[in-house]
Amino acid sequence: MADKQLKEDLPKVIAEMEQKCTEHPDSIMAHHHLALVYRKAGRHNDAIRELKRCLEIDEQSAEAFINLGAVYFELGKLDEALQANKMALRYAPNPAQAHTNIGLIMQQRGEQDKAIDAYTKATQHDPKLAFAWVNLASAQIMAGNFNEALAAAKKAVDLDPNFPMSHNNLAVAYYYTKDFQAAKNSIAEAARRGYPVDPNFIKVVNEEA
């Protein structure tokens, strides 16, 4: 219901934000908020235009670069997304989010070692960023580094036990380190929290446990 209401309210919100940008053409906050609403509405090109306007106002806006990178990533424009996040690294007081985003880009490209490097840097800058640990576990699994994946997944669960994907990644790491009962328990926890666990993975684990 909340999502439906939000979707119905978007045209009104967009109109209000567009009016604010007209009244305050040099307000980076107004343009940034409008960009975020455009993105939520699926109007990616409009979001890109507004984020570029933010960068015209403040060429060192790390937040604008990060969100620009996110929009490009959603459009599958990985080179542009990578460049935006590299620019964010220059200006962000804490570059953990930009490093995490770069990790996602590298994973999308299948470059697991570079993804691991980026996620590791993210966790160094912000050891409490659970999303970076979750993705580090995923990249380590893809690279075949199962003990490292297990350590990263455990850290993710400790930091945010309510994040379903962390339990799924922990289950996968347990499976590859041959702790099948622990994998089964983590699958149950991931499913309980709403994660769509792969049925084939469930079957394989149940056969081993």
Side-chain angles (χ1 to χ4, degrees), residues 127-161:
K128 294 184 178 181
L129 186 58
F131 188 66
W133 288 104
V134 168
N135 285 285
L136 177 57
S138 175
Q140 295 283 21
I141 289 167
M142 295 298 293
N145 304 326
F146 303 126
N147 289 327
E148 291 86 347
L150 182 61
K154 285 181 176 179
K155 184 70 174 179
V157 169
D158 288 343
L159 288 170
D160 188 358

Side-chain angles (χ1 to χ4, degrees), residues 21-177:
C21 288
T22 300
E23 295 171 356
H24 306 283
D26 295 326
S27 169
I28 189 170
M29 184 176 295
H31 287 284
H32 198 190
H33 286 169
L34 178 57
L36 296 180
V37 177
Y38 277 147
R39 180 185 174 193
K40 189 174 290 291
R43 294 172 58 175
H44 293 96
N45 290 332
D46 290 329
I48 290 170
R49 184 192 68 239
E50 291 303 313
L51 289 166
K52 287 184 175 179
R53 175 61 186 142
C54 291
L55 293 168
E56 289 174 359
I57 299 168
D58 179 3
E59 63 182 13
Q60 297 185 10
S61 174
E63 190 173 5
F65 276 121
I66 285 173
N67 282 295
L68 182 61
V71 176
Y72 280 136
F73 184 81
E74 289 172 1
L75 291 173
K77 296 183 176 182
L78 301 186
D79 290 342
E80 291 89 338
L82 180 59
Q83 183 59 33
N85 280 287
K86 284 184 175 179
M87 292 298 293
L89 289 178
R90 295 185 183 183
Y91 306 118
N94 184 340
Q97 186 61 58
H99 280 301
T100 300
N101 292 346
I102 289 171
L104 288 168
I105 294 165
M106 293 307 171
Q107 271 195 284
Q108 190 72 15
R109 287 178 165 180
E111 300 181 44
Q112 301 304 328
D113 289 343
K114 290 182 179 179
I116 289 168
D117 180 66
Y119 292 137
T120 299
K121 287 176 180 175
T123 62
Q124 289 169 345
H125 284 286
D126 185 356
K128 294 184 178 181
L129 186 58
F131 188 66
W133 288 104
V134 168
N135 285 285
L136 177 57
S138 175
Q140 295 283 21
I141 289 167
M142 295 298 293
N145 304 326
F146 303 126
N147 289 327
E148 291 86 347
L150 182 61
K154 285 181 176 179
K155 184 70 174 179
V157 169
D158 288 343
L159 288 170
D160 188 358
N162 295 317
F163 189 22
M165 186 178 175
S166 63
H167 293 281
N168 181 76
N169 285 1
L170 181 58
V172 176
Y174 274 134
Y175 173 78
Y176 281 113
T177 54

Side-chain angles (χ1 to χ4, degrees), residues 1-10:
M1 180 64 73
D3 288 342
K4 181 181 179 182
Q5 185 65 45
L6 178 61
K7 188 172 290 188
E8 291 175 351
D9 289 345
L10 275 176

